[in-house]
């Protein structure tokens, strides 16, 4: 797998310049943000992309502050959820501030460990892979909710305290300059400060087709696309890394947007 730096070339499809209040979205001078899409246990891709970010920082000039914002969904579906959480939760000493946002899958696992009901949907959408990554075997039976309840004590014992602390500290949103970062998106026509947590980690429509101005450009994951989406009011960066091998990162600095990716091919990308 080869890491390459991708830049926007032209405007095929619906690629647009992110705008706020009629002017191009921007970050304050001296700040660069790397926003990383959904990982779902893809620890190898996380390591590769962080290496590419380190190289980008080293070769892209001097900035006062570099941030990495992970938009959530670290667990489920992929086979190395435990390994990924361990990697992300480890302390770093590279001078880069990391911000970890809450995804709906992370909320499922967090609530399960807290003893709250999560419903059988967690298993259908990848929770079984997370149990397996922690070495936990799902209790037998035909009722998924009963099986999850019977399995809960084993999972609570298997998850290390620092993993639970990592999950408990995940943020639901982060605003910086003309950008707002969250996992899934926002409820249109509701102020950012009044957004519901469920919408921030679960919403698709009516957000995805909305063309309004929220006061900031929303950078999000949650909805898988073949390539990142760059529109006037949102940037979508979930490219299905756990199944495609394509982990996407949007790099924001000043009024510019560019991309890093672990994709094996950039065919069809701008």
């Amino acid at each position: 797998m080869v890491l390459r730096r991708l830049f926007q070339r032209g405007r095929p499809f619906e690629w647009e310049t992110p705008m706020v209040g009629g002017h191009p979205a921007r970050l304050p001078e001296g700040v660069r943000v790397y926003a990383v899409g959904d990982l779902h246990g893809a620890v190898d891709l996380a390591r590769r992309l962080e290496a590419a970010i380190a190289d980008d920082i080293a070769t892209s000039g001097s900035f006062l502050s570099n941030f990495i914002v992970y938009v959530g969904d670290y667990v489920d579906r992929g086979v190395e959820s435990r390994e990924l959480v361990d990697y992300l939760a480890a302390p770093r000493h590279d001078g880069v501030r990391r911000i970890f946002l809450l995804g709906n899958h992370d909320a499922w696992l967090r609530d399960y460990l807290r003893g709250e009901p999560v419903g059988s949907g967690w298993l259908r959408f990848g929770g079984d892979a997370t149990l397996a990554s922690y070495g936990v075997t799902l209790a037998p039976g035909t009722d998924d909710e009963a099986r999850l309840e019977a399995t809960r004590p084993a999972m609570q014992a298997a998850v290390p305290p620092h993993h639970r602390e990592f999950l408990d500290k995940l943020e639901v949103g982060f605003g910086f300059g003309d950008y707002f970062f969250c996992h899934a998106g926002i409820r249109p026509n509701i102020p950012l400060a009044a957004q519901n947590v469920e919408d921030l980690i679960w919403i698709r429509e009516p957000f995805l087709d909305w063309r309004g101005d929220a006061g900031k450009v929303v950078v999000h994951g949650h909805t898988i696309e073949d390539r990142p989406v760059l529109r006037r009011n949102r940037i979508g960066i979930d490219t299905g890394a756990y199944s495609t091998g394509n982990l996407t990162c949007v790099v924001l600095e000043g009024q510019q947007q560019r991309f890093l990716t672990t994709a094996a091919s950039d065919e069809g990308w701008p």
Side-chain angles (χ1 to χ4, degrees):
M1 183 179 297
V2 178
L3 283 164
R4 284 145 328 148
R5 190 169 298 142
L6 300 182
F7 294 85
Q8 183 175 352
R9 299 189 297 270
R11 284 184 54 194
F13 304 105
E14 294 185 271
W15 283 56
E16 303 167 341
T17 299
M19 305 282 287
V20 173
H23 63 81
R26 65 175 296 118
L27 285 175
E29 185 177 354
V31 172
R32 182 186 293 124
V33 174
Y34 299 85
V36 180
D38 303 33
L39 278 158
H40 286 297
V43 66
D44 180 60
L45 297 182
R47 292 191 182 104
R48 290 169 182 255
L49 190 57
E50 283 226 353
I53 290 172
D55 177 67
D56 191 74
I57 291 172
T59 59
S60 295
S62 176
F63 272 69
L64 296 178
S65 301
N66 289 290
F67 293 75
I68 301 177
V69 180
Y70 286 91
V71 299
D73 275 6
Y74 314 109
V75 302
D76 298 349
R77 291 182 172 151
V79 298
E80 295 182 313
S81 292
R82 178 186 177 128
E83 292 81 357
L84 177 63
V85 174
D86 207 50
Y87 172 74
L88 295 177
R92 301 287 199 278
H93 305 286
D94 55 7
V96 178
R97 181 182 173 188
R98 287 163 175 79
I99 296 164
F100 299 99
L101 301 183
L102 177 71
N104 58 303
H105 286 264
D106 313 311
W108 262 330
L109 176 58
R110 181 201 62 188
D111 293 348
Y112 184 59
L113 294 172
R114 290 176 176 176
E116 300 175 16
V118 295
S120 60
W122 183 44
L123 289 181
R124 293 198 305 272
F125 293 101
D128 54 346
T130 297
L131 292 171
S133 78
Y134 282 92
V136 174
T137 301
L138 187 65
T142 57
D143 184 317
D144 284 344
E145 292 192 21
R147 298 171 75 195
L148 281 171
E149 190 59 39
T151 304
R152 194 194 304 265
M155 188 61 170
Q156 290 172 326
V159 176
H162 70 288
H163 286 207
R164 297 184 68 164
E165 182 180 6
F166 174 82
L167 293 167
D168 288 340
K169 288 184 175 180
L170 296 176
E171 302 181 40
V172 296
F174 173 70
F176 205 164
D178 286 336
Y179 295 94
F180 178 76
F181 305 83
C182 60
H183 176 63
I186 65 168
R187 179 69 57 179
N189 302 314
I190 292 178
L192 292 177
Q195 291 289 321
N196 184 290
V197 173
E198 291 298 304
D199 285 330
L200 293 174
I201 67 173
W202 280 102
I203 200 168
R204 287 196 170 94
E205 297 299 353
F207 167 67
L208 296 177
D209 282 338
W210 182 58
R211 295 290 182 159
D213 188 338
K216 292 183 185 287
V217 174
V218 180
V219 181
H220 66 96
H222 188 57
T223 299
I224 296 175
E225 302 279 0
D226 291 332
R227 59 183 66 82
V229 174
L230 192 68
R231 291 188 179 170
R232 290 174 65 88
N233 64 352
R234 70 178 181 92
I235 301 174
I237 53 173
D238 183 4
T239 45
Y242 76 97
S243 62
T244 66
N246 175 11
L247 178 61
T248 293
C249 167
V250 60
V251 187
L252 306 170
E253 50 187 295
Q255 295 183 4
Q256 299 179 346
Q257 305 85 31
R258 51 192 174 87
F259 293 90
L260 304 177
T261 177
T262 60
S265 170
D266 63 357
E267 181 179 355
W269 279 47

